[in-house]
Amino acid sequence: MSAETLEFQVEARQLLQLVIHSIYSNKDVFLRELVSNASDALDKLRLAALRDDALGVDTSDLHIELAADPEARTLTVRDNGIGMSHDEVIQLIGTIANSGTAKFVQELKEAKDAKDSSAAENLIGQFGVGFYSSFMVADEVELVTRKAGEEHGTRWTSSGAGTYSLERVEEAPQGTSVTLKLRPADSDDQLHDYTAAWKIREIVKKYSDFITWPIRLQQETPEASAEPVNSMKALWARSRDEVSDEEYHELYKHISHDWLDPLEVVRLQAEGTFEYQALLFIPSHAPHDLYTQGYQRGVQLYVKRVFVMDDCEALMPPYLRFVKGVVDAADLSLNVSREILQQDRQIQLMRRRLAKKILATVKDLRAGDPEKYATLWREFGRVIKEGLLSDFDNRDAILTAASFASTHDAEQPTSLAQYVERMKEGQQHIYYLTGESRQSVEHSPHLEAFRAKGVEVLLLTDPVDELWVEAVPEFDGKQLRSVAKGELELDGETDQEQQEDREQRKQEFAALLGWMTEQLGAEVKEVRLSARLTVSPACVVTDTNDASPALEAMYRAMGQELPHAKRILELNPEHPLVAGLNRAHSDRPDDAAVTETAELLYGMALLAEGGQPAEPGRFLTLMANRLTHNL
Ligand SMILES: Nc1ncnc2c1ncn2[C@@H]1O[C@H](COP(=O)(O)OP(=O)(O)OP(=O)(O)O)[C@@H](O)[C@H]1O
């Protein structure tokens, strides 16, 4: 069969261009990526053979082989793993499945155009370019592969420009070999001589020592090739002081496909009836697709050092899906299925313990390394808060680990414990305000009385905040209370005098309030006086037991319709506009100007909280009318 020429998918082509003209300084990592892929392929083959007797493959000597030819300037990475079919080669090598690719490529291009090489390097580091990193060191790459169980193989070749060729190979060994036609060494560009045995050894030791398959370096004398370059020691089974941070970091990169170091390493050894070892990593940045459906969790399951399963969802609750690592359990079958794992009581206990350990680590970081903690919370706080809705057992641990923006400090987020410490005398509640952005909530009229009295309010602007505040009743015995809900009674200040004052005001405004409630009845359930406002004339609040508009919108987006709850319009009786409206209503109850002003007041209250009137056009016409009258 003759060769076919195919085009790379657009994003893949763009990414390749950026890799070829790479600004990524550490070129050595290409070998780590190829060895990592080869190791995964061996894991997959062993599992496939275990599950399917009929596959008929020889798994007695699974290994990775590195062969260099200094004359021809080639380096080959060969494995006798699972291999790829013709279609898989197109799918896996010719395209990039990652959903964030287009955005990543765009950002990378911008960084390159701006000649900002550190930003570009950082972006590549966050995304990882896997197999394509070969093109950092090679002019041409050839991949020959035969999938286990198939008869023919496939040869893929490319120089990394727009296209690649595919060709059927009648006789190919099972597995995959990748041959790089190396570019000339250039020490200025950190492009080393990758045909030198010492260099290859150095790279493998540094990046791939823990790989559980033998990595053999083919040399002139066959005897020398028998000894693997890597030690193959499972890092999770070794004690902490035997393993360097670098070794942990390289294992993390292999598991996660991240190119950056993890933020924190977490170890756990459980002994007793159900023995397991866990080596977990908290990444230093959130992946692009953390919030997309089907995001794969990165915890791998091993049974007695043998890889069993990738992204094992039974080992981590969904809100800790960003955690990567390895769990090695002693007493499971190699054939264990996902379904069995989900139901296994021991696994459930393990999952609970792992979650607790991660949360305890977050808490410890807060005290011991505030800078790391700040990064962690910035990157993953949003997803950890999802646990407040699903992990009842760990609710307190999550609340304790969490940070929130607050009116106390424009820059520094606060913990709930710190908030409670700062609570004013007589204050019984933890106050919060939810909204779309810090900017919109900070200017919300709902905060006015709190600001005036110096009472701190948490500013919650993640979508998940709307949900968990409904589900979490209290922290440390203090109830959480929205400043935009219900009747405001600032704690500890309902003294006799104020009560009387309020009663009198109510009577003065009773007629206006009754009339406005009727006028605006289609949209609001009540118009009343406010204790919240000191500057603005009006604001809208949600009744105590009703869902906020944001929550309603959220349920709608999830395909669930909540009954629409009308809200309450609150007026500030001290504001000249409200006082004037009250007078005008009692003097000229039938004047259209009074009706229009009442409607405008409601529209203004909606705008003040970042919303908008139901009919913005009508609002503007009324406003123009009123302004014209005043000229
Ligand atoms: N040696 C190999 N044997 C079998 N399949 C392979 C081999 N190398 C690559 N593949 C397949 O090609 C896919 C793409 O590889 P590539 O290195 O580009 O990305 P990745 O390893 O999935 O992720 P990342 O880009 O984050 O490193 C792999 O997921 C794997 O399915």
Side-chain angles (χ1 to χ4, degrees), residues 33-34 37-38 40-41 44 79 82-84 92-93 127-132 143 145 176 178 256-257 259:
E33 298 298 308
L34 294 180
N37 284 348
D40 290 346
K44 284 180 198 160
D79 66 70
I82 189 84
M84 284 175 270
L92 299 168
I93 305 292
F127 190 80
V129 288
F131 173 77
Y132 289 176
L143 175 146
T145 184
T176 304
V178 178
S256 65
H257 302 269
W259 283 28

Side-chain angles (χ1 to χ4, degrees), residues 519-536:
Q519 282 292 316
L520 301 171
E523 303 206 41
V524 301
K525 65 159 82 156
E526 188 191 348
V527 182
R528 69 187 180 206
L529 293 185
S530 183
R532 286 179 169 82
L533 303 170
T534 58
V535 184
S536 305

Side-chain angles (χ1 to χ4, degrees), residues 15 33-42 44 77-85 88-89 91-98 126-133 143-146 175-178 253-254 256-259:
L15 185 56
E33 298 298 308
L34 294 180
V35 167
S36 185
N37 284 348
S39 163
D40 290 346
L42 295 168
K44 284 180 198 160
V77 179
R78 192 174 295 134
D79 66 70
N80 50 355
I82 189 84
M84 284 175 270
S85 66
E88 281 171 342
V89 173
Q91 215 182 69
L92 299 168
I93 305 292
T95 52
I96 319 170
N98 193 320
Q126 284 188 29
F127 190 80
V129 288
F131 173 77
Y132 289 176
S133 58
L143 175 146
V144 178
T145 184
R146 179 166 69 81
T176 304
S177 76
V178 178
K253 289 174 188 170
H254 169 63
S256 65
H257 302 269
D258 190 354
W259 283 28

